[in-house]
Amino acid sequence: MNDLMDKIVALCKRRGFIFPGSEIYGGLSNSWDYGPLGVELKNNIKQAWWKRFVNLREDIVGIDAALIMNPKVWEASGHVANFQDPLVECKKCHERFRADSIKEEVCPNCGARDSTTPERMFNLMFKTFIGPAEETSNIAYFRPETAQAMFADFRSVLDTSRLRLPFGIAQIGKAFRNEITPGNFIFRTREFEQMEIEYFIPPPKQDADWQGVFEVWRKEMLSWIKDDLGVNLDKIHEHEIGTEERAHYSKRTIDFEYDFPFGRSELYGLAYRTDFDLKNHERYSGQNLKYKDPETGEEFIPHVIEPTWGVDRSVLVVLLDTYNEQEGRVILKLKPSLSPYKVAVFPLLANKPELIKEARKVYLDLKKDFMVAWDDRGNIGKRYASQDEIGTPFCVTVDFQSLEDEMVTVRDRDSAKQDRVKINELKEYLTKRI
Ligand code: GAP
């Protein structure tokens, strides 16, 4: 890892954003747990996404499906046959690698030359068994993408809603992949979260029909990065995936890549999945998955455009992009709507009961509407620094003057500017700025 990644990992551990998973047992390689601040940041990202793409739209509805689906789903989707990476093993150190990670026939672990076994294909789906008997007939899989539930539930959503094409089904949830080479903190893990939309359209009469929808989603994804994550688009690059590299279901894929400290890598993806999934599910399930046009009575299998977002990669990009150091101090310039705490409340001095009493009143009142931190340790400068490091956009100090004039000092994280604000106008003041 490099310098910035090391700093982010250290900050996350120090302040309770993200810890190594199962740490008291020596950890579990590449597993990470979100701590009290991390879960707030992650939830804020998921909530912003759900609000933007589900709540504020008329044409997209959400679902929350089971993680373990009927194994036939994965036969129909092509994952049993195709969701695999080429694997090689070093005969000397017995480490296993994705074949494409071996450069010039040198083992990346022990440096041995020409030591790798021939490639064999390795399916990335996590297997489990349903019921007490571990027999082949009981094999099931943890879903490797949330997407298939949108196809498997397509009929039920259609029958229970008044949706008309074009429309989308959205979901946020965990996905599991037995990655051969996980790494780079939360960038590639074996258990992660996705936010996905399957956006169904009528079968295109010409390429321009699906291309137009694809273009709309391309812009939506860029706007999400800029406006909702507050991430600089300078570091985002669109990568057109070639035919050879595309997933088995896709006719066109764009990856949105970010300049991570460890190199330019995929953040999100956008794919035209055609009617591949619904067609196969109709064939494998024997159920009618056609859409009936209410005007013409014509029946057909819709096609689908799929924008997909990794939640954990969103968290990582937000942390990397907002990390700043000023005079040796860390400031996380998070968009206020994403910050774990929106505001911190401090009594100027911790040993003055009248100040504590007034500050607690302000704190408890703000808590009804915002995530609020309380800090009465050390001097005010240290408390500001501590809140800057976790991205809290505003700090409120209750001082002796407050007891007389019912006003407090509000300090802005990014400008360090201080305003004197009436206590009964604090909520409005903060709401406006968050
Ligand atoms: N339904 C399409 C699909 O799953 P994908 O490109 O394989 O496409 C979508 O995954 C997104 O999920 C990626 O763009 C990335 O953000 C995230 N993702 C994929 N594998 C991941 C992993 N091992 N760890 C963390 N995030 C991952």
Side-chain angles (χ1 to χ4, degrees):
M1 284 217 232
N2 68 39
D3 206 29
L4 180 57
M5 280 297 278
D6 286 343
K7 286 179 179 172
I8 295 288
V9 174
L11 171 69
C12 284
K13 184 158 194 243
R14 186 169 71 245
R15 297 306 306 269
F17 280 94
I18 300 166
F19 317 120
S22 321
E23 203 180 5
I24 58 165
Y25 291 101
L28 173 71
S29 65
N30 299 293
S31 105
W32 301 96
D33 293 346
Y34 285 80
L37 297 189
V39 72
E40 295 299 332
L41 171 60
K42 183 155 93 145
N43 281 344
N44 290 340
I45 291 175
K46 292 195 283 184
Q47 277 159 15
W49 187 90
W50 196 262
K51 184 166 183 196
R52 175 175 179 142
F53 294 114
V54 181
N55 297 154
L56 290 177
R57 294 185 62 130
E58 290 180 62
D59 59 342
I60 301 183
V61 293
I63 60 167
D64 183 15
L67 299 181
I68 299 176
M69 305 177 76
N70 188 311
K72 287 216 183 85
V73 166
W74 307 109
E75 286 174 36
S77 68
H79 282 79
V80 171
N82 298 313
F83 197 58
Q84 44 196 13
D85 276 347
L87 170 90
V88 292
E89 184 174 327
C90 171
K91 285 185 255 177
K92 202 155 171 225
C93 69
H94 299 290
E95 275 283 319
R96 292 172 175 183
F97 306 96
R98 264 171 65 153
D100 55 14
S101 67
I102 304 282
K103 305 269 178 292
E104 293 171 0
E105 305 304 319
V106 174
C107 169
N109 186 46
C110 70
R113 278 204 162 270
D114 299 320
S115 64
T116 49
T117 56
E119 279 179 32
R120 70 183 167 88
M121 294 313 276
F122 173 75
N123 195 295
L124 301 184
M125 281 197 294
F126 264 110
K127 274 191 196 135
T128 187
F129 297 92
I130 292 186
E134 295 194 1
E135 291 164 4
T136 318
S137 57
N138 294 344
I139 285 182
Y141 303 96
F142 283 98
R143 63 183 181 197
E145 60 172 8
T146 64
Q148 289 306 318
M150 279 77 106
F151 300 121
D153 288 352
F154 175 77
R155 180 87 265 152
S156 302
V157 171
L158 200 57
D159 289 348
T160 55
S161 63
R162 289 161 180 268
L163 290 165
R164 289 200 183 180
L165 286 178
F167 69 84
I169 308 180
Q171 181 171 211
I172 300 180
K174 288 257 176 170
F176 300 82
R177 295 180 191 179
N178 204 357
E179 299 278 6
I180 301 169
T181 42
N184 287 321
F185 193 32
I186 53 169
F187 176 79
R188 192 183 305 285
T189 49
R190 295 194 169 100
E191 176 182 339
F192 55 96
E193 266 185 286
Q194 294 183 316
M195 309 185 280
E196 298 201 290
I197 297 172
E198 304 307 319
Y199 198 76
F200 298 97
I201 55 172
K205 295 197 169 61
Q206 54 206 355
D207 278 346
D209 296 345
W210 68 264
Q211 282 164 349
V213 184
F214 196 93
E215 184 56 19
V216 169
W217 278 107
R218 193 181 70 76
K219 290 194 180 130
E220 278 290 286
M221 294 185 86
L222 290 173
S223 155
W224 158 264
I225 295 170
K226 183 167 162 280
D227 304 327
D228 292 76
L229 293 189
V231 164
N232 195 336
L233 288 183
D234 294 353
K235 286 194 175 166
I236 297 285
H237 308 274
E238 292 177 35
H239 175 194
E240 185 80 42
I241 305 294
T243 322
E244 290 295 300
E245 283 175 84
R246 272 202 303 267
H248 57 277
Y249 49 72
S250 175
K251 194 165 164 188
R252 183 180 177 199
T253 300
I254 291 180
D255 279 354
F256 294 86
E257 299 181 331
Y258 180 80
D259 289 325
F260 288 96
F262 47 85
R264 190 173 289 182
S265 303
E266 177 185 346
L267 170 61
Y268 302 142
L270 175 63
Y272 171 37
R273 289 181 84 126
T274 68
D275 57 356
F276 176 89
D277 300 272
L278 281 182
K279 208 165 64 189
N280 280 341
H281 284 303
E282 184 170 273
R283 195 150 63 87
Y284 277 72
S285 68
Q287 303 291 314
N288 175 7
L289 298 183
K290 292 188 185 65
Y291 172 87
K292 188 170 179 182
D293 189 307
E295 262 131 47
T296 63
E298 192 194 346
E299 286 195 41
F300 51 79
I301 291 196
H303 283 225
V304 76
I305 304 285
E306 176 193 69
T308 175
W309 295 256
V311 177
D312 310 85
R313 288 188 193 175
S314 306
V315 171
L316 181 57
V317 159
V318 162
L319 290 171
L320 288 166
D321 219 66
T322 58
Y323 183 93
N324 279 269
E325 278 178 18
Q326 280 170 19
E327 291 150 26
R329 283 177 34 213
V330 175
I331 306 183
L332 214 50
K333 295 195 174 173
L334 291 172
K335 214 174 132 66
S337 54
L338 299 184
S339 296
Y341 291 116
K342 309 302 176 209
V343 51
V345 175
F346 312 147
L348 181 66
L349 298 170
N351 56 359
K352 298 284 172 206
E354 63 275 35
L355 279 187
I356 301 274
K357 194 171 160 212
E358 185 63 19
R360 290 292 298 172
K361 236 172 67 194
V362 172
Y363 166 75
L364 291 173
D365 200 43
L366 287 177
K367 231 170 143 42
K368 292 179 200 147
D369 298 290
F370 308 101
M371 272 295 290
V372 194
W374 169 266
D375 195 355
D376 56 13
R377 297 158 308 163
N379 63 42
I380 292 289
K382 278 199 182 134
R383 294 184 219 167
Y384 284 155
S386 169
Q387 294 302 324
D388 286 348
E389 196 181 50
I390 59 172
T392 308
F394 300 101
C395 293
V396 168
T397 304
V398 177
D399 53 26
F400 291 106
Q401 187 67 30
S402 311
L403 303 178
E404 283 166 24
D405 64 6
E406 297 270 297
M407 293 178 98
V408 286
T409 303
V410 182
R411 181 257 194 186
D412 178 281
R413 177 194 67 201
D414 299 337
S415 64
K417 207 175 128 264
Q418 304 195 351
D419 276 345
R420 205 66 192 159
V421 179
K422 279 197 180 131
I423 292 176
N424 63 12
E425 288 171 7
L426 250 185
K427 186 181 157 189
E428 198 192 326
Y429 177 95
L430 294 169
T431 307
K432 254 195 215 150
R433 289 161 177 79
I434 296 165

